[in-house]
Amino acid sequence: MKTKRVVISGSPGAGKTTLVRKFKTMGYPAFDEYSRTLLEAAKKDGKSNYFLSDPQEFSEALFAGRKKQFEALEQVKTDAPFALFDRGVHDIYAYLKAIGEDSNSWYERVSRFQYDLVFLLAPWKEIYKLDEHRSETFEQASHYFTFIQEVYQKSHRVIHVPEGSVASRIDFIEAKLKSYE
């Protein structure tokens, strides 16, 4: 049985990373949000807001990391029916599109990667907060979500995750995954 690739994506600050980390503790293979690795390295090099200061360079580095994650699943020894990704390759194009830096070549590059399911988390003001890697306002996060949703809906089966506790969101996603098997 081939392990299916499942993306958890959506608005910045909507709870994606919390859910992926919880799934990891439950034994699911999971891949962390790669952009955080890039942002940490950039800060050490004195670059602030790496994505907005050099969106193409940042996106190239992000593409390399997410591509590596996508391909790494083939090397993971697991009987799990699903592996979860905290954001996917398509998010790169969505973010570039949101700031007017997209191109046909970027679209073609990300379109080569297909996930089996995509769960989207909408902007949720009550839980939104800035952190060392998240510098956009809630309104900017909502703006990015519009493009993320649009990009994934073009080529993937998308399921919207309702607001709720971490436990209720995990239950919702697990129920959808079980019905997908």
Side-chain angles (χ1 to χ4, degrees), residues 39 49-56 58-59 95-96 99 144:
L39 294 171
N49 209 339
Y50 187 16
F51 172 66
L52 290 178
S53 65
D54 196 339
Q56 295 299 324
F58 177 83
S59 296
Y95 269 73
L96 288 170
I99 64 166
Y144 286 124

Side-chain angles (χ1 to χ4, degrees), residues 43-168:
K43 279 192 177 184
K44 288 178 185 169
D45 290 341
K47 295 179 185 176
S48 64
N49 209 339
Y50 187 16
F51 172 66
L52 290 178
S53 65
D54 196 339
Q56 295 299 324
E57 179 182 283
F58 177 83
S59 296
E60 285 293 344
L62 187 55
F63 181 79
R66 287 194 179 147
K67 178 179 184 267
K68 191 173 183 179
Q69 287 180 325
F70 186 94
E71 293 167 346
L73 180 58
E74 302 302 324
Q75 311 310 313
V76 173
K77 305 275 188 254
T78 182
D79 293 335
F82 301 98
L84 294 117
F85 294 80
D86 188 343
R87 294 203 181 277
V89 175
H90 297 74
D91 286 74
I92 299 165
Y93 177 72
Y95 269 73
L96 288 170
K97 192 170 181 172
I99 64 166
E101 290 275 335
D102 58 316
S103 66
N104 287 336
S105 64
W106 267 113
Y107 180 74
E108 289 169 14
R109 288 171 75 190
V110 302
S111 294
R112 292 184 209 132
F113 298 85
Q114 290 299 302
Y115 298 91
D116 296 287
L117 274 176
V118 176
F119 288 94
L120 289 183
L121 283 68
W124 186 5
K125 196 164 193 152
E126 286 74 22
I127 67 167
Y128 185 83
K129 63 183 175 198
L130 300 176
D131 66 21
E132 63 182 303
H133 302 296
R134 185 179 308 115
S135 59
E136 57 270 297
T137 65
F138 179 75
E139 290 70 26
Q140 290 167 320
S142 299
H143 174 73
Y144 286 124
F145 177 74
T146 303
F147 292 92
I148 294 164
Q149 179 175 247
E150 175 190 317
V151 167
Y152 277 111
Q153 285 180 332
K154 275 186 179 178
S155 58
H156 290 84
R157 178 168 177 220
V158 171
I159 299 170
H160 287 83
V161 178
E163 294 176 359
S165 67
V166 172
S168 69

